[in-house]
Amino acid sequence: MSGSGRSTYRSEKSPLLKPRQDDHHHNHRHSSNSVNPAVEMTTPPPPRRPIYLGVDVGTGSARAGLFDEHGKLLGCSSSPIQIWKEGDCIEQSSTDIWLAVCTAVKAACSLANIGGEEVTSLGFAATCSLVAVDSDGEPVSVSWSGDARRNIIVWMDHRAVKQAERINSSNSPVLQYCGGAVSPEMEPPKLLWVKENLQESWSMAFRWMDLSDWLSYKATGDDTRSLCTTVCKWTYLGHAHMHQTSEKDSRGMEACGWDDDFWEEIGLGDLVDGHHAKIGRSVAFPGHALGSGLTPDSAKELGLLAGTPVGTSLIDAHAGGVGVMESKPPSDSTANDDEEVICRRMVLVCGTSTCHMAVSRSKLFIPGVWGPFWSAMVPEYWLTEGGQSATGALLDYVIENHVASPHLANTAASRRISIFTLLNEILETMRQEQGSPFLAALTNDMHVLPDFHGNRSPVADPKSKGMLCGLTLDTSDKQLAVLYLATVQGIAYGTRHIVEHCNANGHRIDTLLACGGLTKNPLFIQEHADITGYPIILPRENESVLLGAAILGAVASKKYSTVREAMMALNAAGEVVYPSQDPKVKKYHDAKYRIFRELYEQQVAHRSIMAQALA
């Protein structure tokens, strides 16, 4: 998710611990009054207001945001990051990312008129990309090119599809905690690919880390890993800690959740050596205070104070969940009385991809859906994680590869609006011209299966392909608008499929919350509400992932004793979007959803026919 909001909020500078020289003279000039300067000097200064900093490294940019004690955004900035794409191989540079983080943090402080010394704490979130560094912390190449800068395998990289298939054939017990199968987007298949294809890099790598863990390690020098990253992407069994510790006992825990038999069986037994030193010897709950805070070197690079508390990290989507899940509209009078209201909610984190996050008190095994993951988002709750591998990326692809795209892009730029706003206007004009009963009906002849980058859930088929049904020779702006609408609907039908599948397997989801860049598009949100039939709560602050990251630092600073307590204090609801009450709209989407489900079934049948033909 990219983009940044900017604020010109001016802060009151926090009081200095010692009076300035001119203040000292000022006191003495008035000492003839009844004020005793000695007494005045010993009066403690008023407490400094908290300023929580969150950093999020997405696929295209590093972003930083500052929040006050009410969870309000004070200032935000972003800095682009480099990416290399060659077929299924997608790579980045940790050196480039750290530089972008430092740039974004300094810019956010400047925009908010907040000095680095005023920042109370820091938390990181990032994509679940894989970082390789040597014993000196220097990058180790994970690229066919051998370029040392390219030491990160990006989350969406699909080079390890065959390795994932081999791992899944092992039938290891750990697989039941990731929907029955690892995805090529997870770390074990990627690690196996490197070992089998880049022997020199494999021998050089001293630490393999999730990107958000690497960021907190770079900042503090503490190699404690997050339960979020290790449990969700590395097959770590977080529930091994269920009975030995609680979140309030916030400390690094000896990593007892690795299944050594699994690593041996898949051919990565060398990662077990040294008490799992290369993949994580200790883990901690999200928000655990790391080391002694920022190291002097990192503090200088970030423009902050050494020792500033830093919390254990989260994957970016999970930070979005933490930043929004406790958002309660004022009209929801029952929500505050129901301790388990969050167990009936699902958060959609909508960016390049979409993640679907739901929590429960008991563990729920759901085929094709990742989890149950213990304490991977909200500590001491089980997390269910669905997802679509390409949503924002798919909309960009569909629009940018259409012949009408350059003309529309120029028109939008000249009017200083987004291309999505322009397409939404074209659709509304078409609805009026055609006398369509409702806007969604414009796609009655066009259907999209959005699996252009495989299906993450609930069918968990990385080989699934995208499908378009209803194309003609029309290349007009209006045809692109209809194709765009059908793609939005296809994405929303995918969300409906995930929600229905989760509820059929033990969840009781009745409300959606949405955050991320795509939520700024009202058509995207309304179609999701109409198609799922559930209200969608939007956050007061657009930057929910940054707020979730900032919450981690707030907990590390001991302002809050638990992540849930911080969520309740800092989450806030904005607009609530309700599904259409028109029965015709529901009937229409039910029919299109049936076709949506049939498209995948047809693809599987076609795949079988062709496999037989080539046998």
Side-chain angles (χ1 to χ4, degrees):
M1 291 168 288
S2 61
S4 64
R6 293 192 170 195
S7 169
T8 54
Y9 181 96
R10 295 184 63 84
S11 69
E12 296 181 18
K13 294 293 182 183
S14 57
L16 298 170
L17 295 178
K18 295 181 180 179
R20 298 190 305 270
Q21 193 63 35
D22 57 342
D23 288 340
H24 182 71
H25 290 307
H26 177 82
N27 290 338
H28 276 278
R29 280 200 301 273
H30 293 276
S31 61
S32 58
N33 296 334
S34 58
V35 178
N36 181 336
V39 173
E40 189 173 23
M41 289 294 291
T42 58
T43 302
R48 190 176 71 173
R49 67 163 186 161
I51 304 288
Y52 307 124
L53 171 60
V55 169
D56 166 38
V57 177
T59 308
S61 66
R63 304 180 307 128
L66 296 147
F67 297 85
D68 68 12
E69 66 270 34
H70 305 296
K72 285 196 69 82
L73 183 66
L74 305 176
C76 175
S77 186
S78 71
S79 182
I81 55 179
Q82 196 168 3
I83 191 165
W84 291 270
K85 295 183 179 181
E86 296 171 10
D88 284 334
C89 295
I90 307 174
E91 296 150 359
Q92 289 179 323
S93 160
S94 63
T95 304
D96 172 63
I97 284 173
W98 182 252
L99 181 62
V101 166
C102 294
T103 302
V105 168
K106 291 173 182 175
C109 289
S110 176
L111 284 165
N113 196 25
I114 288 171
E117 73 281 356
E118 296 179 79
V119 174
T120 308
S121 60
L122 170 61
F124 291 100
T127 63
C128 49
S129 301
L130 178 66
V131 184
V133 293
D134 65 17
S135 56
D136 295 321
E138 295 299 313
V140 173
S141 177
V142 293
S143 173
W144 280 122
S145 69
D147 186 341
R149 293 174 300 167
R150 293 156 70 165
N151 70 318
I152 297 177
I153 302 180
V154 179
W155 68 269
M156 64 169 69
D157 182 291
H158 271 207
R159 71 182 70 185
V161 170
K162 291 181 179 178
Q163 284 76 13
E165 290 174 350
R166 292 212 311 272
I167 290 170
N168 292 331
S169 68
S170 71
N171 295 317
S172 169
V174 303
L175 298 179
Q176 66 181 312
Y177 288 92
C178 46
V182 295
S183 160
E185 295 175 15
M186 292 179 176
E187 311 306 9
K190 291 174 178 173
L191 290 164
L192 188 56
W193 184 94
V194 174
K195 183 175 182 179
E196 292 177 349
N197 292 278
L198 301 174
Q199 280 291 332
E200 184 176 357
S201 293
W202 184 255
S203 61
M204 286 176 61
F206 186 75
R207 284 187 174 91
W208 294 99
M209 310 183 79
D210 239 72
L211 178 54
S212 59
D213 282 334
W214 178 83
L215 289 165
S216 56
Y217 168 69
K218 173 72 174 173
T220 66
D222 186 340
D223 187 22
T224 297
R225 312 295 176 97
S226 167
L227 276 175
C228 176
T229 57
T230 52
V231 170
C232 293
K233 305 301 172 186
W234 296 72
T235 71
Y236 187 82
L237 302 177
H239 50 282
H241 300 280
M242 276 186 74
H243 305 297
Q244 68 181 72
T245 190
S246 69
E247 181 191 2
K248 289 184 180 180
D249 181 18
S250 188
R251 57 186 174 82
M253 302 174 289
E254 186 70 25
C256 62
W258 294 117
D259 186 319
D260 293 352
D261 291 341
F262 166 74
W263 294 105
E264 294 280 0
E265 187 174 358
I266 68 171
L268 294 175
D270 37 350
L271 295 179
V272 173
D273 297 345
H275 300 290
H276 316 95
K278 290 186 176 183
I279 57 174
R281 294 180 63 171
S282 65
V283 296
F285 289 100
H288 162 82
L290 291 168
S292 301
L294 284 179
T295 64
D297 286 348
S298 294
K300 183 178 180 181
E301 292 166 349
L302 291 162
L304 306 175
L305 286 181
T308 300
V310 178
T312 313
S313 63
L314 285 168
I315 298 166
D316 53 358
H318 303 63
V322 167
V324 74
M325 190 164 245
E326 285 287 0
S327 301
K328 292 165 186 168
S331 59
D332 192 354
S333 58
T334 61
N336 294 325
D337 302 326
D338 187 348
E339 176 69 17
E340 300 307 312
V341 68
I342 62 171
C343 294
R344 298 198 304 275
R345 297 177 154 208
M346 176 175 277
V347 176
L348 312 185
V349 186
C350 312
T352 303
S353 64
T354 295
C355 292
H356 303 68
M357 327 288 285
V359 297
S360 57
R361 276 298 192 184
S362 58
K363 58 183 175 182
L364 300 172
F365 293 97
I366 304 176
V369 176
W370 296 344
F373 301 137
W374 187 72
S375 290
M377 186 172 77
V378 182
E380 301 185 52
Y381 282 79
W382 291 90
L383 170 68
T384 294
E385 182 184 349
Q388 293 162 290
S389 294
T391 52
L394 175 57
L395 288 171
D396 290 344
Y397 173 84
V398 166
I399 294 168
E400 291 168 5
N401 284 279
H402 194 280
V403 69
S405 181
H407 170 249
L408 284 180
N410 288 335
T411 302
S414 68
R415 293 179 54 193
R416 297 187 176 183
I417 60 175
S418 75
I419 197 166
F420 297 116
T421 300
L422 181 57
L423 287 166
N424 294 349
E425 290 179 0
I426 292 171
L427 289 167
E428 179 55 31
T429 300
M430 292 176 66
R431 184 193 68 78
Q432 295 174 13
E433 291 174 350
Q434 297 179 19
S436 178
F438 44 86
L439 190 124
L442 293 171
T443 62
N444 65 307
D445 286 332
M446 187 174 290
H447 310 281
V448 175
L449 184 71
D451 295 352
F452 284 54
H453 199 56
N455 184 288
R456 189 186 296 170
S457 54
V459 297
D461 181 359
K463 293 183 176 180
S464 183
K465 302 293 189 290
M467 297 173 71
L468 298 177
C469 177
L471 293 179
T472 69
L473 295 177
D474 186 356
T475 58
S476 67
D477 294 357
K478 291 181 177 180
Q479 196 275 340
L480 173 54
V482 173
L483 176 58
Y484 150 73
L485 175 58
T487 305
V488 168
Q489 291 171 342
I491 292 168
Y493 295 131
T495 289
R496 174 172 168 175
H497 192 190
I498 291 168
V499 175
E500 287 184 355
H501 188 64
C502 288
N503 281 346
N505 284 275
H507 277 286
R508 296 176 295 121
I509 295 156
D510 60 18
T511 302
L512 305 180
L513 300 98
C515 63
L518 292 178
T519 63
K520 297 171 186 175
N521 182 345
L523 181 139
F524 183 89
I525 294 300
Q526 189 63 60
E527 291 300 291
H528 274 71
D530 292 348
I531 285 167
T532 62
Y534 296 129
I536 300 179
I537 300 172
L538 298 174
R540 181 190 64 197
E541 303 294 340
N542 283 328
E543 302 293 351
S544 298
V545 176
L546 286 175
L547 176 58
I551 282 172
L552 301 171
V555 175
S557 73
K558 309 303 181 188
K559 171 67 175 177
Y560 303 99
S561 60
T562 67
V563 168
R564 181 95 188 272
E565 180 187 333
M567 290 166 63
M568 289 176 169
L570 300 175
N571 287 186
E575 181 186 3
V576 182
V577 177
Y578 294 94
S580 170
Q581 297 302 303
D582 185 345
K584 294 179 181 177
V585 173
K586 182 180 187 305
K587 183 178 180 182
Y588 177 82
H589 284 305
D590 285 347
K592 286 207 68 170
Y593 179 62
R594 177 182 170 188
I595 294 169
F596 167 86
R597 296 288 298 271
E598 289 174 352
L599 286 176
Y600 177 73
E601 293 168 6
Q602 290 169 14
Q603 181 179 146
V604 173
H606 297 165
R607 198 187 297 173
S608 176
I609 291 168
M610 296 312 299
Q612 291 174 25
L614 291 169

